[in-house]
């Protein structure tokens, strides 16, 4: 039975995250302290003592989840993945844990990504919404039918749960049409912008330069990437998919299905929370689930 390690994205943060690890592991403590130096502010203080509101800031959330996830993986005595994957931001954590990037390079890219995404959000007001209880094709068709606004499927989280992303007007109109088409719920999300949509193009361009400048190595196992749900160890492919990820949908359902098809029987969530375990259970209920 193959082991798939999976790494969460934005939304998994919680107050006090990583404190127990910081206090119990010298290795983890050194990573957290190094992160403070690299970022130029005490992110550990926000992680350990900050409010929910402070933790929600994109420039805090993304590095915090990355640091916590990588520290858990590197502190684990039996981290022996046959394959890895990460949800959105988690793809960077997965890549570092699998040896494709150094911790320092990974954190710098995540910080740059968070900053670029925040700037893109400020250029044009935008949002996201979770659509529950409707098939992918109907959601895709309705989004495509709205041609005068931006609205696209952004996260294929599990069967019956797709997140759409775009301009405020586009998302609100799509929600009405999707409810009329039979969606059980269409919930506007409390997010800062339209992640994984064409509105992230300015961020994609900014991040592309940083990714091309970073030093990548072949990971120790295949990484199943969000953009195409396919495994890769080729650093050129990995690099291009990381860049494309900002404006393309997160194909999480398809990634999990591909990992199961390739022999994954145990999925281990590595990071704060258990969001991904819940999604995997809905995608492939026959597999074993645990977390570090």
């Amino acid at each position: 039975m193959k082991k798939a390690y999976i790494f969460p994205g934005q939304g998994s943060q919680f107050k006090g995250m990583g404190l127990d690890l910081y206090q119990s592991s010298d290795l983890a403590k050194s990573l957290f302290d190094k992160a403070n130096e690299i970022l130029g502010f005490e992110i550990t203080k926000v992680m350990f003592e900050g409010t929910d509101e402070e933790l929600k800031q994109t420039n805090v959330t993304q590095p915090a989840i990355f640091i916590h996830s990588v520290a858990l993986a590197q502190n684990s005595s039996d981290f022996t993945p046959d394959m890895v994957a990460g949800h959105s931001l988690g793809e960077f954590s997965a890549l570092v844990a699998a040896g494709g990037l150094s911790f320092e390079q990974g954190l710098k890219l995540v910080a740059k990504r968070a900053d670029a995404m925040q700037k893109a959000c400020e250029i044009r007001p935008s949002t996201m919404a979770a659509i529950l209880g409707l098939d992918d094709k109907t959601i895709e068709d309705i989004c495509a039918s709205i041609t005068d606004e931006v609205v696209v499927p952004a996260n294929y989280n599990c069967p019956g749960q797709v997140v759409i992303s775009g301009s405020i007007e586009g998302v609100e109109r799509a929600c009405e049409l999707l409810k009329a088409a039979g969606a059980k719920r269409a919930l506007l999300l409390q997010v800062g912008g339209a992640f994984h949509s064409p509105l992230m193009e300015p961020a994609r361009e900014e991040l592309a330069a940083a990714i091309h400048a970073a030093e990548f190595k072949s990971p120790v196992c295949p990484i199943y990437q969000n953009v195409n749900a396919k495994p890769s160890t080729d650093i050129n492919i990995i690099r291009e998919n990381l860049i494309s990820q900002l404006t393309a949908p997160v194909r999480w359902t398809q990634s999990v299905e591909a990992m199961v098809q390739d022999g994954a029987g145990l999925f281990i969530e590595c990071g704060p929370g258990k969001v991904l375990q819940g999604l995997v259970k809905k995608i492939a209920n026959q597999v074993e689930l645990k977390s570090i």
Side-chain angles (χ1 to χ4, degrees):
M1 180 169 68
K2 291 183 179 178
K3 289 196 286 188
Y5 282 81
I6 51 176
F7 295 78
Q10 210 159 332
S12 297
Q13 69 276 3
F14 62 89
K15 281 193 293 187
M17 60 187 288
L19 179 58
D20 55 343
L21 195 59
Y22 184 87
Q23 292 174 334
S24 63
S25 162
D26 289 341
L27 171 64
K29 183 178 186 300
S30 71
L31 288 178
F32 281 92
D33 290 343
K34 193 183 289 183
N36 285 338
E37 284 177 38
I38 292 167
L39 294 171
F41 71 98
E42 275 197 83
I43 193 166
T44 48
K45 189 169 177 63
V46 188
M47 290 168 70
F48 304 159
E49 303 169 24
T51 63
D52 286 335
E53 206 52 47
E54 287 169 325
L55 273 172
K56 264 191 220 167
Q57 306 302 315
T58 298
N59 69 327
V60 170
T61 311
Q62 293 196 23
I65 292 169
F66 168 85
I67 295 158
H68 193 184
S69 301
V70 173
L72 280 168
Q74 295 195 357
N75 195 57
S76 172
S77 56
D78 64 343
F79 183 75
T80 50
D82 295 300
M83 55 189 83
V84 296
H87 191 289
S88 188
L89 155 75
E91 195 159 278
F92 288 82
S93 312
L95 198 54
V96 170
L101 267 175
S102 69
F103 175 77
E104 293 84 353
Q105 294 259 310
L107 180 56
K108 285 175 183 174
L109 287 180
V110 166
K112 168 66 82 175
R113 180 182 188 266
D115 183 54
M117 288 170 80
Q118 185 59 44
K119 282 194 276 188
C121 292
E122 289 161 9
I123 292 170
R124 183 173 176 189
S126 51
T127 192
M128 302 176 83
I131 311 302
L132 307 180
L134 206 58
D135 65 283
D136 294 355
K137 179 76 167 62
T138 301
I139 294 170
E140 290 163 358
D141 289 348
I142 286 174
C143 286
S145 75
I146 299 170
T147 55
D148 59 333
E149 290 287 341
V150 175
V151 59
V152 294
N155 298 340
Y156 293 86
N157 284 336
C158 66
Q161 186 189 126
V162 172
V163 174
I164 62 172
S165 181
S167 65
I168 292 171
E169 170 80 22
V171 169
E172 287 177 346
R173 200 185 312 164
C175 284
E176 292 306 313
L177 293 171
L178 290 162
K179 281 190 278 193
K184 286 181 184 168
R185 299 186 80 182
L187 305 165
L188 287 173
L189 301 179
Q190 296 300 308
V191 293
F195 304 143
H196 302 288
S197 84
L199 296 180
M200 284 292 117
E201 181 59 26
R204 190 195 69 79
E205 289 173 9
E206 195 173 329
L207 188 63
I211 285 176
H212 281 304
E215 189 181 331
F216 284 74
K217 293 183 288 188
S218 292
V220 297
C221 65
I223 177 166
Y224 286 68
Q225 293 193 271
N226 291 179
V227 168
N228 57 10
K230 292 178 181 175
S232 186
T233 55
D234 182 316
I235 59 172
N236 293 317
I237 292 171
I238 289 168
R239 193 182 269 126
E240 291 309 315
N241 285 342
L242 278 178
I243 294 167
S244 299
Q245 190 218 65
L246 273 186
T247 52
V250 173
R251 300 188 180 279
W252 187 251
T253 300
Q254 298 86 339
S255 297
V256 172
E257 287 170 346
M259 288 188 279
V260 170
Q261 195 171 340
D262 291 344
L266 172 61
F267 282 76
I268 302 164
E269 186 161 5
C270 192
K274 295 185 176 180
V275 170
L276 295 186
Q277 289 177 72
L279 297 181
V280 172
K281 195 171 186 178
K282 290 174 182 169
I283 299 164
N285 61 10
Q286 75 278 23
V287 302
E288 197 178 327
L289 298 164
K290 59 187 276 198
S291 52
I292 292 182

